[in-house]
Amino acid sequence: MSLRVMSPAMLNAWSQTLVRAMSTQGGAKNIGFVGLGNMGANMASNLIKAGHKLHVFDISKPACEGLAAKGATVYAKTSELAKNSDFVITMLPNNAIVDASYDEMTADGVNKDTIFIDSSTISPDLVKSLQKKISAKGARFIDAPVSGGVPGAEQATLTFMVGGTEAEYNAVKAVLECMGKKITHCGVYGMGQAAKLCNNMMLAISMIGVSEAMNLAVRQGLDANVFAEIINSSTGRCWASEIYNPVPGVCPTAPANREYAGGFSTALITKDLGLASGVANTSNSPIPLGSLAHKVYQSLCEKGLGNKDFSVVYDLMKKEKFGL
């Protein structure tokens, strides 16, 4: 089929397939993947689709079985996984788990040619600490957190924010392109996380803003779908309004239609806002809206909603009166 008669959607799908095919021209790589949650499982699946051999670990047996059914090899120990991998990608919940996982994974030494890629959201300080620890053992470590949510992980359209040397960025770029459409070199170690924390703070603020506006519109009698169409063709348009709208029935694929199950948990956005607050403190940067967003999401966790998608903040707005 001629490219001139392809629709934009078909052209995008074709180009993504081409990128994945080109990424394996040098041969399939052995890639370790630690952390098969809502994001990680989809990312690992896309690496398999690209032709790479996956070595996986997760504390969830069903998560491991799901990847094994697609051809991945499951490991009981991350140290063994790392020894059999050219690249190791970690996608884990928080600082403590990431730190402990790398201690366990590298306790018996590392292959000097292995590149460790952490795509979790952690503090820039921990990135620098891990980089020193891994490099002292003879291997390489970079930070490469992601943005795009579960939809981006499913569709291999994530944005990767990479912290490391130019040579390390070039070494991992083809692998990351199997899972994302934009791979950006942000600078030295920790700069990927610096970008991610700023992005997630803005995401939390915008989700609260969209929830407030949608609730105000509905309470005045506006139809939610009509108002969403207005926002998304006006200056209020954003990812939270267009792709991930918090009102049930507006975006068919959004967690709001599943009683806020799955997606990006309230506990995780609260954790990220805490990390952003810490970085703001050390850099002497004012974040009045970021601090307020942190308090709002902390209150959701206190109400037992930590496992719900972070768009559940709309449900809180819907039930509250003026003066929250």
Side-chain angles (χ1 to χ4, degrees), residues 47-279:
L47 288 167
I48 293 174
K49 291 176 185 176
H52 296 297
K53 181 169 177 54
L54 264 287
H55 308 268
V56 301
F57 173 87
D58 195 278
I59 59 173
S60 167
K61 185 177 179 181
C64 289
E65 290 174 345
L67 267 295
K70 297 177 180 179
T73 301
V74 177
Y75 285 74
K77 293 184 177 180
T78 56
S79 56
E80 292 300 316
L81 175 152
K83 288 177 181 178
N84 289 306
S85 302
D86 303 309
F87 301 88
V88 175
I89 300 169
T90 49
M91 190 67 172
L92 299 164
N94 56 47
N95 275 13
I97 293 174
V98 171
D99 198 17
S101 294
Y102 274 93
D103 277 344
E104 178 184 330
M105 188 160 38
T106 64
D108 299 329
V110 295
N111 294 333
K112 295 189 184 301
D113 292 330
T114 300
I115 301 179
F116 293 87
I117 305 167
D118 184 56
S119 291
S120 317
T121 302
I122 59 175
S123 72
D125 284 343
L126 179 55
V127 168
K128 295 169 188 174
S129 173
L130 289 172
Q131 191 278 326
K132 289 179 181 178
K133 189 182 301 183
I134 301 300
S135 63
K137 292 177 181 286
R140 289 177 285 176
F141 173 91
I142 66 166
D143 56 309
V146 303
S147 181
V150 175
E154 291 173 342
Q155 299 160 24
T157 57
L158 293 169
T159 292
F160 281 85
M161 295 155 268
V162 181
T165 66
E166 188 75 28
E168 288 166 336
Y169 167 75
N170 290 329
V172 303
K173 190 169 184 284
V175 169
L176 301 184
E177 284 175 334
C178 298
M179 302 174 284
K181 69 176 182 179
K182 186 168 180 60
I183 321 299
T184 301
H185 185 210
C186 298
V188 298
Y189 307 111
M191 289 300 98
Q193 293 295 348
K196 176 63 187 290
L197 293 178
C198 292
N199 178 79
N200 276 22
M201 182 179 73
M202 187 160 61
L203 173 63
I205 293 168
S206 65
M207 179 58 77
I208 293 171
V210 169
S211 295
E212 284 188 357
M214 292 296 299
N215 184 56
L216 179 60
V218 170
R219 286 196 183 188
Q220 292 181 93
L222 278 163
D223 178 83
N225 283 286
V226 169
F227 184 58
E229 287 182 11
I230 293 169
I231 290 178
N232 294 327
S233 60
S234 304
T235 53
R237 179 183 180 186
C238 62
W239 187 84
S241 69
E242 185 176 23
I243 307 298
Y244 218 77
N245 198 287
V247 181
V250 174
C251 292
T253 59
N257 299 301
R258 305 187 299 273
E259 297 184 343
Y260 303 99
F264 183 34
S265 77
T266 293
L268 286 179
I269 194 71
T270 304
K271 179 264 295 182
D272 292 355
L273 287 165
L275 291 173
S277 180
V279 171

Side-chain angles (χ1 to χ4, degrees), residues 264-270 297 300-301 305-306 308-310 312:
F264 183 34
S265 77
T266 293
L268 286 179
I269 194 71
T270 304
Y297 278 107
L300 287 174
C301 289
L305 298 171
K308 293 289 189 179
D309 181 80
F310 81 118
V312 76

